[in-house]
CSV table of all heavy atoms in Angstrom, one decimal:
chain,number,residue,atom,x,y,z
K,27,LYS,N,-19.0,9.3,14.5
K,27,LYS,CA,-19.7,8.3,15.4
K,27,LYS,C,-19.8,8.9,16.8
K,27,LYS,O,-20.7,8.5,17.5
K,27,LYS,CB,-19.0,7.0,15.4
K,27,LYS,CG,-19.2,6.2,14.1
K,27,LYS,CD,-18.5,4.9,14.1
K,27,LYS,CE,-18.7,4.1,12.8
K,27,LYS,NZ,-18.1,2.8,12.8
K,28,VAL,N,-18.9,9.8,17.2
K,28,VAL,CA,-19.0,10.4,18.5
K,28,VAL,C,-20.3,11.2,18.6
K,28,VAL,O,-20.9,11.2,19.7
K,28,VAL,CB,-17.8,11.4,18.7
K,28,VAL,CG1,-18.0,12.3,19.9
K,28,VAL,CG2,-16.5,10.6,18.8
K,29,VAL,N,-20.8,11.8,17.6
K,29,VAL,CA,-22.0,12.6,17.6
K,29,VAL,C,-23.2,11.9,18.2
K,29,VAL,O,-24.0,12.4,18.9
K,29,VAL,CB,-22.3,13.2,16.2
K,29,VAL,CG1,-23.6,14.0,16.2
K,29,VAL,CG2,-21.1,14.1,15.8
K,30,ARG,N,-23.2,10.6,17.9
K,30,ARG,CA,-24.3,9.7,18.4
K,30,ARG,C,-24.5,9.7,19.9
K,30,ARG,O,-25.6,9.5,20.4
K,30,ARG,CB,-24.2,8.3,17.9
K,30,ARG,CG,-24.1,8.1,16.4
K,30,ARG,CD,-23.8,6.7,16.0
K,30,ARG,NE,-23.7,6.6,14.6
K,30,ARG,CZ,-23.2,5.5,14.0
K,30,ARG,NH1,-22.8,4.5,14.7
K,30,ARG,NH2,-23.2,5.5,12.7
K,31,PHE,N,-23.4,10.0,20.6
K,31,PHE,CA,-23.4,9.9,22.0
K,31,PHE,C,-23.5,11.2,22.7
K,31,PHE,O,-23.4,11.3,24.0
K,31,PHE,CB,-22.1,9.1,22.5
K,31,PHE,CG,-22.0,7.8,21.9
K,31,PHE,CD1,-21.2,7.6,20.8
K,31,PHE,CD2,-22.8,6.7,22.4
K,31,PHE,CE1,-21.1,6.3,20.2
K,31,PHE,CE2,-22.7,5.5,21.8
K,31,PHE,CZ,-21.9,5.2,20.7
K,32,LEU,N,-23.7,12.3,22.0
K,32,LEU,CA,-23.7,13.6,22.6
K,32,LEU,C,-25.1,14.0,23.0
K,32,LEU,O,-26.1,13.7,22.3
K,32,LEU,CB,-23.1,14.6,21.6
K,32,LEU,CG,-21.6,14.4,21.3
K,32,LEU,CD1,-21.1,15.4,20.3
K,32,LEU,CD2,-20.7,14.4,22.5
K,33,PRO,N,-25.2,14.8,24.1
K,33,PRO,CA,-26.5,15.3,24.5
K,33,PRO,C,-27.2,16.1,23.4
K,33,PRO,O,-26.5,16.7,22.6
K,33,PRO,CB,-26.2,16.1,25.7
K,33,PRO,CG,-24.9,15.8,26.1
K,33,PRO,CD,-24.1,15.3,24.9
K,34,LYS,N,-28.5,16.2,23.4
K,34,LYS,CA,-29.2,17.0,22.4
K,34,LYS,C,-29.7,18.3,23.0
K,34,LYS,O,-30.8,18.8,22.8
K,34,LYS,CB,-30.5,16.2,22.0
K,34,LYS,CG,-30.2,14.8,21.5
K,34,LYS,CD,-29.4,14.7,20.2
K,34,LYS,CE,-29.2,13.3,19.7
K,34,LYS,NZ,-27.9,12.9,19.6
K,35,THR,N,-28.7,19.0,23.7
K,35,THR,CA,-29.0,20.3,24.3
K,35,THR,C,-28.7,21.4,23.3
K,35,THR,O,-28.1,21.2,22.3
K,35,THR,CB,-28.2,20.5,25.6
K,35,THR,OG1,-26.8,20.5,25.1
K,35,THR,CG2,-28.4,19.4,26.6
K,36,VAL,N,-29.2,22.6,23.6
K,36,VAL,CA,-29.0,23.7,22.8
K,36,VAL,C,-27.5,24.0,22.5
K,36,VAL,O,-27.1,24.2,21.4
K,36,VAL,CB,-29.7,25.0,23.3
K,36,VAL,CG1,-29.3,26.2,22.5
K,36,VAL,CG2,-31.2,24.8,23.4
K,37,GLU,N,-26.7,24.0,23.6
K,37,GLU,CA,-25.3,24.3,23.4
K,37,GLU,C,-24.6,23.2,22.6
K,37,GLU,O,-23.7,23.5,21.8
K,37,GLU,CB,-24.6,24.5,24.8
K,37,GLU,CG,-24.6,23.4,25.7
K,37,GLU,CD,-25.8,23.3,26.6
K,37,GLU,OE1,-26.8,24.0,26.4
K,37,GLU,OE2,-25.8,22.4,27.5
K,38,PHE,N,-25.0,21.9,22.8
K,38,PHE,CA,-24.3,20.9,22.1
K,38,PHE,C,-24.7,20.9,20.6
K,38,PHE,O,-24.0,20.5,19.7
K,38,PHE,CB,-24.6,19.5,22.7
K,38,PHE,CG,-23.5,19.1,23.6
K,38,PHE,CD1,-23.7,19.2,25.0
K,38,PHE,CD2,-22.3,18.6,23.1
K,38,PHE,CE1,-22.6,18.8,25.8
K,38,PHE,CE2,-21.3,18.2,24.0
K,38,PHE,CZ,-21.5,18.3,25.3
K,39,LYS,N,-25.9,21.4,20.3
K,39,LYS,CA,-26.4,21.5,18.9
K,39,LYS,C,-25.4,22.4,18.2
K,39,LYS,O,-25.0,22.1,17.1
K,39,LYS,CB,-27.8,22.1,18.9
K,39,LYS,CG,-28.3,22.1,17.4
K,39,LYS,CD,-29.8,22.7,17.5
K,39,LYS,CE,-30.4,22.8,16.1
K,39,LYS,NZ,-29.6,23.1,15.0
K,40,ILE,N,-25.0,23.5,18.8
K,40,ILE,CA,-24.1,24.5,18.2
K,40,ILE,C,-22.7,23.9,18.1
K,40,ILE,O,-22.1,24.0,17.0
K,40,ILE,CB,-24.1,25.8,19.0
K,40,ILE,CG1,-25.4,26.5,18.9
K,40,ILE,CG2,-23.0,26.7,18.5
K,40,ILE,CD1,-25.7,27.6,19.9
K,41,ILE,N,-22.3,23.3,19.1
K,41,ILE,CA,-20.9,22.6,19.1
K,41,ILE,C,-20.8,21.5,18.1
K,41,ILE,O,-19.9,21.4,17.3
K,41,ILE,CB,-20.6,22.1,20.6
K,41,ILE,CG1,-20.4,23.3,21.5
K,41,ILE,CG2,-19.4,21.2,20.5
K,41,ILE,CD1,-20.5,22.9,23.0
K,42,VAL,N,-21.8,20.7,18.1
K,42,VAL,CA,-21.9,19.6,17.1
K,42,VAL,C,-21.8,20.1,15.7
K,42,VAL,O,-21.1,19.5,14.8
K,42,VAL,CB,-23.1,18.6,17.4
K,42,VAL,CG1,-23.3,17.7,16.2
K,42,VAL,CG2,-22.9,17.9,18.7
K,43,ASP,N,-22.6,21.1,15.4
K,43,ASP,CA,-22.6,21.7,14.1
K,43,ASP,C,-21.2,22.1,13.6
K,43,ASP,O,-20.7,21.8,12.6
K,43,ASP,CB,-23.6,22.8,14.0
K,43,ASP,CG,-23.7,23.4,12.6
K,43,ASP,OD1,-24.0,22.7,11.7
K,43,ASP,OD2,-23.4,24.6,12.4
K,44,GLN,N,-20.5,22.9,14.5
K,44,GLN,CA,-19.2,23.4,14.2
K,44,GLN,C,-18.2,22.2,14.1
K,44,GLN,O,-17.4,22.2,13.2
K,44,GLN,CB,-18.7,24.3,15.3
K,44,GLN,CG,-19.5,25.6,15.4
K,44,GLN,CD,-19.3,26.5,14.2
K,44,GLN,OE1,-20.1,26.5,13.3
K,44,GLN,NE2,-18.1,27.1,14.2
K,45,TYR,N,-18.3,21.3,15.0
K,45,TYR,CA,-17.4,20.1,15.0
K,45,TYR,C,-17.6,19.3,13.7
K,45,TYR,O,-16.6,18.9,13.0
K,45,TYR,CB,-17.7,19.2,16.2
K,45,TYR,CG,-17.1,17.9,16.2
K,45,TYR,CD1,-15.8,17.7,16.3
K,45,TYR,CD2,-18.0,16.7,16.2
K,45,TYR,CE1,-15.2,16.4,16.3
K,45,TYR,CE2,-17.4,15.5,16.2
K,45,TYR,CZ,-16.1,15.3,16.3
K,45,TYR,OH,-15.6,14.0,16.3
K,46,VAL,N,-18.8,19.0,13.3
K,46,VAL,CA,-19.0,18.2,12.1
K,46,VAL,C,-18.6,18.9,10.9
K,46,VAL,O,-18.0,18.3,10.0
K,46,VAL,CB,-20.5,17.8,12.0
K,46,VAL,CG1,-20.9,17.2,10.7
K,46,VAL,CG2,-20.9,16.8,13.1
K,47,ARG,N,-18.8,20.2,10.8
K,47,ARG,CA,-18.3,21.0,9.6
K,47,ARG,C,-16.8,20.9,9.5
K,47,ARG,O,-16.3,20.7,8.4
K,47,ARG,CB,-18.8,22.4,9.7
K,47,ARG,CG,-20.2,22.6,9.5
K,47,ARG,CD,-20.7,24.1,9.8
K,47,ARG,NE,-22.1,24.2,9.7
K,47,ARG,CZ,-22.8,24.5,8.6
K,47,ARG,NH1,-22.2,24.7,7.5
K,47,ARG,NH2,-24.1,24.7,8.7
K,48,ALA,N,-16.1,21.1,10.6
K,48,ALA,CA,-14.6,21.1,10.6
K,48,ALA,C,-14.1,19.7,10.2
K,48,ALA,O,-13.3,19.5,9.4
K,48,ALA,CB,-14.0,21.5,11.9
K,49,LEU,N,-14.7,18.7,10.9
K,49,LEU,CA,-14.3,17.3,10.7
K,49,LEU,C,-14.5,16.8,9.3
K,49,LEU,O,-13.6,16.2,8.6
K,49,LEU,CB,-15.1,16.4,11.7
K,49,LEU,CG,-14.8,14.9,11.6
K,49,LEU,CD1,-13.4,14.6,12.0
K,49,LEU,CD2,-15.8,14.2,12.5
K,50,THR,N,-15.7,17.1,8.7
K,50,THR,CA,-16.0,16.6,7.3
K,50,THR,C,-15.1,17.4,6.3
K,50,THR,O,-14.8,16.9,5.3
K,50,THR,CB,-17.5,16.7,7.0
K,50,THR,OG1,-17.9,18.0,7.2
K,50,THR,CG2,-18.3,15.7,7.8
K,51,SER,N,-14.8,18.6,6.7
K,51,SER,CA,-13.9,19.4,5.8
K,51,SER,C,-12.5,18.8,5.7
K,51,SER,O,-11.9,18.9,4.6
K,51,SER,CB,-13.9,20.9,6.3
K,51,SER,OG,-13.1,21.6,5.4
K,52,VAL,N,-12.1,18.2,6.7
K,52,VAL,CA,-10.8,17.5,6.7
K,52,VAL,C,-10.8,16.5,5.6
K,52,VAL,O,-9.9,16.5,4.7
K,52,VAL,CB,-10.5,16.8,8.1
K,52,VAL,CG1,-9.2,15.9,7.9
K,52,VAL,CG2,-10.3,17.8,9.2
K,53,GLY,N,-11.8,15.6,5.6
K,53,GLY,CA,-11.8,14.6,4.5
K,53,GLY,C,-12.0,15.1,3.1
K,53,GLY,O,-11.4,14.6,2.2
Side-chain angles (χ1 to χ4, degrees):
K27 288 180 179 180
V28 167
V29 174
R30 298 175 183 167
F31 302 99
L32 298 177
K34 306 296 185 238
T35 62
V36 173
E37 63 273 9
F38 266 101
K39 183 179 181 326
I40 295 165
I41 292 165
V42 167
D43 183 58
Q44 293 292 103
Y45 166 67
V46 169
R47 287 174 189 271
L49 180 64
T50 55
S51 183
V52 171

